[in-house]
Amino acid sequence: MAILSLKDFSFTYALEEKPVLKHINWQVAEGDFVLLCGPTASGKSTLLKNLKKQLQPAGKIEGQILYAGQPLAILPDGKAAQEIGFVQQNPEAQILMEDVKQELAFGLENACQPLAQMHRRIGELSNFFGLQDKMQQKTQHLSGGQKQLVNLASVLLLQPKLLLLDEPTAQLDPIAAKDFLQILKQVHEELGITIIISEHRWDDILPLVQKVAFLTDGCLQSFASAQNFSRFLHDHGQFATYLPAIPNLYFSREKERNNALEVVPFTPVEGYLWGKKKNWQIVPLADETEQKAAPTEKSLLVAKEISFRYEKNGQDILRNCSMALKAGEIGVIMGGNGAGKSTLLKLLAGLLPLQNGAVMWWGRNIRSLNKEERITAIAYMGQNPMQHFVCDTVEKELSYGLTEQEKQYLPHWISRFGLQDILQRHPYDISGGQQQKVVLAYLLCRRPQLLLLDEPGKALDPVAKKELISILKEVAQKGTAILLTSHDCEFASLLAQKATMLFDGCLTEWQPMRYFLRDNYFYTTALAKIFTRISQEVPLCIEEAKLL
């Protein structure tokens, strides 16, 4: 039986003429585990929100959505709220209560569940999610990944039959993301909940799902098994870029020899078992020694033994963190959720007061800079782009606060980020990837000397990530230093020159990106996981892996 059916479904946002979703016919069987994917702004989030009655955006609907054979529009609100769960893209948008226990209880209280049953369910789920030690913790002090786990637990407490997730691992570190997906797999297998998950990082989820739905420009292009979907992407050249690294490497090499396997490798183990039979040579596309700034160059930014805690009697979030960044350098800070990466960026941006240590800007203490000097020199983008928005249209947002000289660069960045068609949209009504592009376009108009970017690849599809990498490298070549945090090792490996890890409040030694990937088990790429076992070097991209 189909738990969900869409019949010739189209959707157009209010005050707009062009539909975002177009004539979708789709059936999801009860118990299915489905990956919903596609380019940024293809309509994934809009589709998911239309499946959740309480989140349906304002606009014109054509066609039908049926839930368990019944029109979704006439499904009682209470039943819809409990049976169709939703985990949003931005974890902060779903958190309502002050502490974790109150947040977990909130949905059950609104569903009028008996107190004894509430305690039993919360006790079971909190242990399952490892939240038992965080019940009294303030939700505002949780990391983005921790908030997402609380959101998932809160939804599952209502025992839904259909679970919708919009980019749930976007703010999770690699280990937490794998754990999150394994929890979803366990929920699917043991509880039989139907799951539809939207994701841009497919490496870890493709082996878990039964089917993949692929949207482009609001149209459903493919709905097939993961194996058949990978072949669909390969066979349609315009979509080949969306293939994850391992199947992409496999198709690109086996195509040359016409010796394709029946089963496409998805996991590092499958990739290794296939790749170890080949003779490989790793040929770097760029000389890492040339990417490093000359040792005689003066550092643009120097942090000296920074320590920080949020509460006077609390634990240190950061302890004696030191680093240096030269003009034109691109560095990435990696680490687990809650390690303090976002806090460190905010300190460097001057958004939090320094408690211990110093930040030097071209040899001057950054405290000596006035607010205008600091804002002109240093640009910061947080994890949640919506926190940057103050206007009711993208067009107004892009020009807000810019000088007349800075506005001259707007047409270039609007074109470069492909924002022409959303200028009249409200910033809250565009996709997460588009929101990030808007913020970046605005910041780049200011031509800062330092860009501090908190998870800039989050919510971007592979093509958009590739374009962003190109843009940021061009900006760096003109002298702008870039420091970013990222949980996306694939993205970071193609962008950054050097990397460090923030662990236990301290920064580890900075390493060239290639060596950082080679030395790690989990904070590394799918390609590195394969080639560390069959070669002395690791490729940063599939073009570097040559067959002899």
Side-chain angles (χ1 to χ4, degrees):
M1 175 183 175
I3 191 170
L4 190 68
S5 297
L6 276 69
K7 297 184 176 180
D8 199 31
F9 180 77
S10 298
F11 179 80
T12 306
Y13 277 103
L15 305 179
E16 294 193 10
E17 297 180 359
K18 184 180 178 181
V20 177
L21 300 170
K22 307 168 187 174
H23 306 291
I24 294 178
N25 291 284
W26 188 32
Q27 283 196 343
V28 177
E30 188 174 3
D32 271 352
F33 193 170
V34 178
L35 169 63
L36 176 64
C37 57
T40 301
S42 60
K44 302 183 299 297
S45 295
T46 301
L47 177 56
L48 286 178
K49 288 178 180 178
N50 270 287
L51 302 180
K52 175 69 172 175
K53 191 175 180 182
Q54 288 78 10
L55 295 178
Q56 285 181 332
K60 178 184 177 182
I61 291 177
E62 298 178 88
Q64 263 192 323
I65 300 177
L66 301 179
Y67 170 74
Q70 182 180 4
L72 184 64
I74 66 171
L75 193 67
D77 290 343
K79 185 176 182 180
Q82 291 190 58
E83 293 193 6
I84 304 177
F86 197 104
V87 178
Q88 298 186 45
Q89 188 177 82
N90 174 18
E92 294 182 358
Q94 204 160 342
I95 296 285
L96 298 172
M97 305 304 290
E98 186 176 357
D99 63 47
V100 171
K101 188 174 183 179
Q102 290 176 342
E103 184 65 32
L104 294 176
F106 181 77
L108 294 172
E109 290 174 342
N110 280 273
C112 300
Q113 297 292 324
L115 186 60
Q117 182 169 293
M118 287 173 54
H119 283 304
R120 185 176 67 251
R121 287 193 189 180
I122 292 174
E124 180 185 36
L125 263 293
S126 63
N127 281 300
F128 181 73
F129 281 93
L131 297 172
Q132 62 271 28
D133 296 331
K134 294 183 171 61
M135 300 302 286
Q136 307 305 322
Q137 190 166 343
K138 302 295 184 184
T139 52
Q140 65 177 346
H141 293 162
L142 297 176
S143 70
Q146 291 167 337
K147 289 176 183 176
Q148 201 68 301
L149 288 175
V150 171
N151 286 334
L152 178 60
S154 299
V155 169
L156 290 179
L157 282 167
L158 294 174
Q159 300 183 342
K161 295 180 179 178
L162 173 62
L163 179 60
L164 310 172
L165 303 103
D166 191 3
E167 298 277 352
T169 69
Q171 297 191 33
L172 301 187
D173 64 70
I175 297 174
K178 288 179 181 294
D179 291 343
F180 187 94
L181 293 176
Q182 288 301 319
I183 287 173
L184 282 184
K185 181 184 178 183
Q186 190 173 352
V187 165
H188 173 253
E189 292 178 346
E190 296 187 11
L191 306 181
I193 297 176
T194 306
I195 299 175
I196 303 176
I197 177 172
S198 169
E199 272 289 342
H200 281 308
R201 290 190 290 175
W202 305 346
D203 301 72
D204 294 325
I205 195 168
L206 270 180
L208 305 181
V209 299
Q210 296 166 320
K211 294 180 181 178
V212 182
F214 186 63
L215 280 179
T216 62
D217 194 27
C219 300
L220 185 62
Q221 296 286 349
S222 173
F223 186 46
S225 68
Q227 286 285 323
N228 289 336
F229 171 66
S230 66
R231 291 187 172 89
F232 165 83
L233 292 179
H234 174 257
D235 293 341
H236 294 74
Q238 70 271 33
F239 301 139
T241 308
Y242 294 93
L243 275 167
I246 294 176
N248 195 6
L249 178 68
Y250 162 78
F251 278 122
S252 64
R253 298 303 179 262
E254 292 296 3
K255 181 180 179 181
E256 299 170 3
R257 287 158 171 71
N258 195 27
N259 187 31
L261 302 173
E262 291 185 5
V263 179
V264 179
F266 286 150
T267 67
V269 170
E270 294 168 346
Y272 164 71
L273 293 175
W274 163 75
K276 72 175 184 178
K277 301 172 185 178
K278 314 291 183 182
N279 292 319
W280 298 94
Q281 181 184 16
I282 308 304
V283 183
L285 298 181
D287 185 352
E288 278 82 0
T289 60
E290 295 178 357
Q291 294 179 356
K292 297 179 182 178
T296 55
E297 288 184 12
K298 186 177 180 181
S299 292
L300 170 147
L301 180 79
V302 176
K304 297 181 178 180
E305 299 186 346
I306 291 177
S307 297
F308 183 84
R309 62 179 62 175
Y310 280 103
E311 298 176 358
K312 183 178 180 180
N313 297 320
Q315 294 183 340
D316 283 341
I317 304 297
L318 301 172
R319 292 186 294 109
N320 302 321
C321 289
S322 299
M323 61 163 290
L325 198 66
K326 296 180 173 65
E329 273 193 314
I330 305 178
V332 60
I333 302 172
M334 308 193 85
N337 292 110
K341 302 182 300 297
S342 298
T343 299
L344 178 56
L345 286 193
K346 290 177 182 177
L347 286 167
L348 298 178
L351 299 177
L352 290 175
L354 280 173
Q355 296 169 352
N356 290 293
V359 176
M360 310 302 291
W361 179 256
W362 290 117
R364 295 172 55 193
N365 193 307
I366 201 169
R367 291 180 175 177
S368 68
L369 302 180
N370 61 45
K371 184 178 180 180
E372 184 177 345
E373 287 177 313
R374 191 179 70 247
I375 291 176
T376 300
I378 302 173
Y380 165 83
M381 183 179 78
Q383 277 192 29
N384 180 8
M386 287 195 292
Q387 293 180 341
H388 294 263
F389 299 146
V390 295
C391 300
D392 58 3
T393 69
V394 170
E395 185 174 40
K396 292 178 183 177
E397 197 66 55
L398 285 168
S399 60
Y400 182 81
L402 294 182
T403 66
E404 291 303 316
Q405 182 179 0
E406 291 168 341
K407 289 178 182 178
Q408 295 177 13
Y409 304 109
L410 266 176
H412 170 76
W413 292 118
I414 288 173
S415 174
R416 193 68 189 275
F417 283 106
L419 304 175
Q420 301 93 324
D421 294 336
I422 61 170
L423 292 177
Q424 301 309 315
R425 296 267 297 271
H426 195 289
Y428 284 15
D429 290 338
I430 57 179
S431 73
Q434 288 174 320
Q435 289 174 345
Q436 293 204 145
K437 290 180 180 181
V438 169
V439 176
L440 280 168
Y442 173 81
L443 295 179
L444 290 175
C445 283
R446 290 168 40 194
R447 307 186 78 183
Q449 296 179 57
L450 172 64
L451 266 176
L452 300 173
L453 306 176
D454 202 352
E455 295 288 342
K458 174 173 58 70
L460 296 179
D461 66 72
V463 173
K465 286 180 184 178
K466 186 176 181 180
E467 177 63 17
L468 178 58
I469 288 169
S470 176
I471 289 172
L472 293 179
K473 283 187 173 181
E474 289 176 17
V475 170
Q477 287 171 0
K478 295 178 180 178
T480 297
I482 299 175
L483 182 64
L484 65 140
T485 68
S486 182
H487 291 313
D488 188 338
C489 297
E490 311 287 341
F491 174 78
S493 70
L494 298 175
L495 173 61
Q497 299 159 352
K498 63 180 186 179
T500 185
M501 185 172 293
L502 184 55
F503 168 72
D504 193 27
C506 303
L507 290 173
T508 62
E509 179 186 9
W510 285 89
Q511 291 179 284
M513 195 74 229
R514 193 181 302 276
Y515 304 127
F516 180 86
L517 298 175
R518 186 188 63 187
D519 292 345
N520 291 335
Y521 282 120
F522 302 106
Y523 285 82
T524 188
T525 63
L527 290 179
K529 290 176 182 178
I530 294 174
F531 284 95
T532 49
R533 302 174 66 183
I534 60 179
S535 170
Q536 292 182 343
E537 297 290 340
V538 298
L540 296 179
C541 58
I542 65 170
E543 289 79 11
E544 293 188 348
K546 309 290 186 182
L547 282 178
L548 296 176

